[in-house]
Structures are given as C-alpha cells and as structure tokens.
Amino acid sequence: MSYVDEVYAMVVEKNPAQPEFHQAVKEVLESLRVVIEAHEDEYRKDALLERIVTPERQLLFRVPWVDDKGQVQVNNGYRVQFNSAIGPYKGGLRLHPSVNLGIIKFLGFEQIFKNSLTGLPIGGGKGGSDFDPKGKSDREVMAFCQSFMTELCKYIGADTDVPAGDIGTGAREIGYLFGQYKRIRGLYEGVLTGKGLSYGGSLARTEATGYGLLYLTNALLQDHGQSLSGKTVVVSGAGNVAIYAIQKAQQLGANVVTCSDSTGWIYDKDGIDVELLKEIKEVKRARLSEYAAAKPSAEYHEKKNGEHGVWTVKCDVALPCATQNELDLDDAKALVANGVYAVCEGANMPTTLEATEFLQKSGVLFVPGKASNAGGVATSALEMSQNSERLSWSFEEVDQKLKGIMENIYKNISAAAKEYGMEGNYVAGANIAGFLKVADAMKAQGIV
Ligand code: GLU
C-alpha cells in the first residue's frame, strides 16, 4: 500500500465516526500524492503524514450555564490545537448544534493549510460548541460565553492560540469572550480576533472573508481573460461571509441573485439588496422569509427535504458561503447543465468530494475554501500584528493588504498546480502550496 493510502486508512481507523474529518484528510492526501511519492522515504521515516493528521492537542470540556428560566444547561466545549509549526494556533470558534469533535477536527485540519497559504505566521486550530445561539437572549449568550471562556482561557493566549469567529460566533460573542478572558487572566492582549473596533479590532475584518473571496474570484477570472462585470452570481448563505461576498461582487459589477439560510432561499432577479439583508440577519436576527416580504422582486422558497435550491438557478459564478457539504453531486450537475463557469468556495468544504470531481471533470474552474476563503483568517493575522504594535491601520490599508494576499494566494496555487503537472487544478495547487511550507517548518523543528 502506498504511504498516502496507509495514512488515510489509519486516520479512518483511529478516528471512527468522523466522516467530515476523513473527507478533509482524503482531499488533502489525494492531491499530495505526487509530492509525497517524490519524498516517500524521507517523509515515512519522519512519520510526517502521521504527525500532520494528528492534532498536537485536543481539549474537550463541559460548559454549564443558566438559562433565562433558571434551568442549568450543559454544552460540550472543544478546542483542537492542530499544528503550530508556522505560528500560534489560529482558527475560529463554531457555535452550532451540529458541532462535534469530528467537525472541529476537519475544520482545524483545513485551517493548517489555509493559514499557510496566507503567507502569514499562523498555525492551525479550531474550536466551538454544540451551543445554539439562535433564539437565545443576549444574557443567555453571555452566560454561555463566560462559562466557555472560563475553561478555554487556561489554554489560549496572544502568542499561543488565538481563536476568532465562525458560524454562530460574531461580534457579540467575541465581545463577551474577550471580556471574560481579560477578567480572569488579567491580560489586555490580542487573544481573540474579530474584536470590536473600540477594543482592539481591525477595520475590514468584518468584511474580510467575503471581500477576499471576491478578490480571489476576480483574479481567477482575469487570469482566464474574463471579468465579474455583468456576470450572474449565485451565493448561498446569509451570514457574515455571504453578506460581504454579495456586497463586493456587486461593487465589481456582478448581479447577485440568490442567498439562503437554514430554512429557505431567495431568488431576486433585480439583485440582492445587501442593506435589507443586513438589517434582517445582523440586526433583527430573523429569517429570510422577511426579505421577500419586504422586496416585491424577490421569490422565497422554503427548503424541503434537504434540497439546496440556489444551485438550480442559472449563473456564471457560484459561491457556496453557507456550510460544509451543502453542494452535492446533483447540485454540481445542475450547475454544469446551466453552464456555470467558476465555483469558488466561501465556506469551509461546502462541496462534496464527488461534486468537486464532477465540476473539475466538466471543465468548471473550482477553487477550494482553504484558498478562496482565507481572507478572513489573513485579516485576523493583520489584526494580531496591529495589536502587537498597539496601533491600528486604516480601512484602505487593511483592504489593500487583503487584496494583495488574495491575489498572491491565487498566483501561488496556480503555480503549484502547474509545477506538479496539474495545471488548472486549484485543489491540488492549494493543498501542495499549503503543505510544503508546513512540512518544511516541521522538518526544521525536529521530531516534536
Ligand atoms: N473562521 C474563519 C475561518 O474559517 C476565520 C478564522 C480566524 O479568523 O481565525 O477561517
């Protein structure tokens, strides 16, 4: 059996019932095959792959908190410190009922390569809880965040592990988490990113993942002699990534006609009204049906039987910005039948392995999230730099740096794919470029 196959089999055996983690490992190892085979003896002897697929540390803890009725609730807390070869662990905290150890491990594993691709000194980590902030009062969210941080604060710090937002963790949650960290540890430091502007946050961090996605998509299209101007774009999701992806796509001249949440999706032929979407999602924290109620040009479709409606809409560019495995083989077939030109992932692993293969075989340009959504964590690293020098940069300065980082990522993944004989395969390019830097650092640091 080849080294790659052996390590994949070991991952499946040692991490039972973690299908998303297996999927993320499979995608990475498969596309590294040529690189691994070229260095097989050396990597095998150093157990490099076994080390890279095994988290350095996994923290699992109880999170008890009191709800508004006086009832005690208990959630699971997680932080997986996956790899610190190139910098302190860095990655978000996901708060969603679907969270389990396998989900956090898949996200932490992806984060290693994504963070490496940014070119900035950040290692890979991820955390979260099965707590659902949806429908909770502000006080309940605060109680949860304080309890979560009471335990987590023992293991994190500005130079060791720097969590941030992800699904379910936005500005409100980061504020409560930061307050509790400072209170217990007595340290005013950049231990979290995505902070509010009044207490050490960075301008453009809120917009960064969505804007970055579009900077990369734009670079991809330009490299193929195209532009976003006049293109029809389909977006899924209605959270932080989707909102700012829609906004930047519109600024670049595209017509964005869809968005979605867990209950339904919107088709608005006149283009999504971002201000209305923000009001509904960020201020009212309400459902998308309210969008259609407020805008006559919009159609609202209820999501039935797991159907992912936005992918049936004819488009030139598709940007999955909701969650993992939201775009399956049937969706990919619908997109191809409608003549889609490019798919760039805004979420983490939103496309299944079968769908990815189908899109690539059909000649669709496909960029994986670890490259195309890296703008969020890249700007988090810029927030860390500003915190370290106790200065803050202007919006334009951060935005320009973000644009440069995304254009560089595109160049690097494109060049890596070409160098290893897989021109245009950006999945392989991203995995190879991300891996080589981490592997080099791991080798230099010895067996740790
Ligand atoms: N959760 C985001 C991601 O998936 C951002 C992480 C961060 O800023 O540390 O990359």
Side-chain angles (χ1 to χ4, degrees):
M1 221 197 270
S2 77
Y3 185 34
V4 160
D5 295 324
E6 261 173 47
V7 173
Y8 180 67
M10 180 209 82
V11 166
V12 173
E13 197 194 320
K14 277 201 183 181
N15 303 271
Q18 298 183 351
E20 294 84 2
F21 180 49
H22 303 166
Q23 181 183 341
V25 171
K26 194 180 175 82
E27 186 219 272
V28 170
L29 291 185
E30 280 300 335
S31 51
L32 289 178
R33 216 177 258 281
V34 281
V35 182
I36 307 297
E37 277 164 11
H39 300 84
E40 177 146 351
D41 292 347
E42 175 196 337
Y43 286 169
R44 223 184 235 282
K45 184 159 178 289
D46 286 351
L48 188 91
L49 292 186
E50 288 88 336
R51 284 190 289 142
I52 216 163
V53 298
T54 307
E56 290 177 17
R57 195 171 296 104
Q58 307 184 51
L59 307 159
L60 313 181
F61 49 95
R62 181 172 76 196
V63 188
W65 56 279
V66 182
D67 72 15
D68 284 347
K69 296 190 190 100
Q71 173 65 49
V72 175
Q73 301 287 343
V74 181
N75 287 103
N76 297 329
Y78 304 90
R79 185 74 183 166
V80 173
Q81 299 181 329
F82 223 119
N83 192 299
S84 62
I86 63 168
Y89 310 106
K90 184 83 197 83
L93 297 171
R94 178 170 292 191
L95 302 183
H96 192 269
S98 65
V99 165
N100 56 45
L101 184 58
I103 296 276
I104 299 300
K105 278 165 69 180
F106 118 62
L107 291 163
F109 185 69
E110 288 281 294
Q111 203 83 43
I112 303 171
F113 306 98
K114 180 195 314 200
N115 294 4
S116 167
L117 285 172
T118 66
L120 300 166
I122 39 178
K126 200 85 184 192
S129 172
D130 58 354
F131 172 78
D132 188 358
K134 239 183 241 160
K136 304 286 191 303
S137 69
D138 286 351
R139 195 212 59 81
E140 288 176 321
V141 170
M142 181 169 73
F144 168 82
C145 288
Q146 291 184 339
S147 180
F148 184 86
M149 184 52 88
T150 299
E151 184 60 23
L152 186 69
C153 76
K154 300 168 190 167
Y155 312 104
I156 62 174
D159 293 313
T160 48
D161 183 357
V162 183
D166 195 81
I167 293 173
T169 306
R172 172 181 61 172
E173 291 74 16
I174 293 292
Y176 294 146
L177 291 164
F178 184 78
Q180 185 74 350
Y181 178 86
K182 179 167 64 76
R183 183 187 193 194
I184 300 180
R185 298 284 304 268
L187 289 171
Y188 205 110
E189 59 170 5
V191 65
L192 291 160
T193 58
K195 299 185 292 299
L197 296 177
S198 58
Y199 63 96
S202 172
L203 285 161
R205 175 62 188 89
T206 309
E207 294 84 353
T209 314
Y211 278 22
L213 172 64
L214 269 297
Y215 292 144
L216 188 135
T217 306
N218 200 33
L220 169 79
L221 293 187
Q222 277 179 357
D223 193 31
H224 290 81
Q226 302 269 338
S227 94
L228 271 159
S229 176
K231 296 274 188 302
T232 300
V233 175
V234 156
V235 169
S236 65
N240 175 262
V241 181
I243 287 174
Y244 294 98
I246 296 170
Q247 189 173 74
K248 186 51 78 179
Q250 290 174 341
Q251 287 171 10
L252 293 169
N255 186 26
V256 186
V257 292
T258 65
C259 61
S260 65
D261 68 9
S262 55
T263 53
W265 59 283
I266 293 288
Y267 172 68
D268 188 345
K269 62 175 181 357
D270 289 354
I272 298 292
D273 179 337
V274 177
E275 289 314 312
L276 177 61
L277 185 61
K278 273 196 203 172
E279 173 69 20
I280 291 167
K281 284 292 161 185
E282 289 180 348
V283 183
K284 292 191 188 159
R285 298 182 192 273
R287 289 180 170 192
L288 267 185
S289 46
E290 291 210 10
Y291 180 99
K295 195 148 181 268
S297 59
E299 290 168 17
Y300 176 73
H301 300 262
E302 193 92 15
K303 255 186 204 163
K304 295 172 222 112
N305 305 327
E307 156 229 334
H308 312 294
V310 300
W311 314 125
T312 58
V313 173
K314 189 171 168 54
C315 66
D316 304 303
V317 175
L319 305 173
C321 297
T323 195
Q324 66 270 2
N325 293 330
E326 55 162 316
L327 198 167
D328 64 18
L329 184 57
D330 287 341
D331 301 323
K333 286 182 178 164
L335 284 167
V336 169
N338 277 326
V340 73
Y341 184 72
V343 176
C344 299
E345 295 184 328
N348 290 313
M349 209 172 75
T351 314
T352 64
L353 286 175
E354 297 74 31
T356 303
E357 263 170 40
F358 182 81
L359 291 168
Q360 288 179 317
K361 278 191 189 134
S362 309
V364 176
L365 303 178
F366 178 86
V367 183
K370 61 171 74 73
S372 46
N373 77 28
V377 76
T379 308
S380 277
L382 301 179
E383 182 173 330
M384 289 165 72
S385 302
Q386 294 168 76
N387 291 165
S388 294
E389 60 175 18
R390 298 190 194 282
L391 290 172
S392 43
W393 308 338
S394 68
F395 187 95
E396 290 66 32
E397 200 174 345
V398 180
D399 192 38
Q400 272 312 309
K401 285 194 163 75
L402 168 65
K403 190 161 182 273
I405 290 167
M406 299 313 296
E407 289 170 355
N408 246 331
I409 292 177
Y410 175 69
K411 262 192 226 137
N412 291 341
I413 66 172
S414 183
K418 203 168 176 180
E419 189 183 334
Y420 285 89
M422 291 177 274
E423 190 169 355
N425 182 343
Y426 303 110
V427 174
N431 288 328
I432 293 170
F435 168 81
L436 287 175
K437 181 177 174 190
V438 176
D440 186 66
M442 286 175 74
K443 197 171 159 44
Q445 292 170 31
I447 305 307
V448 291

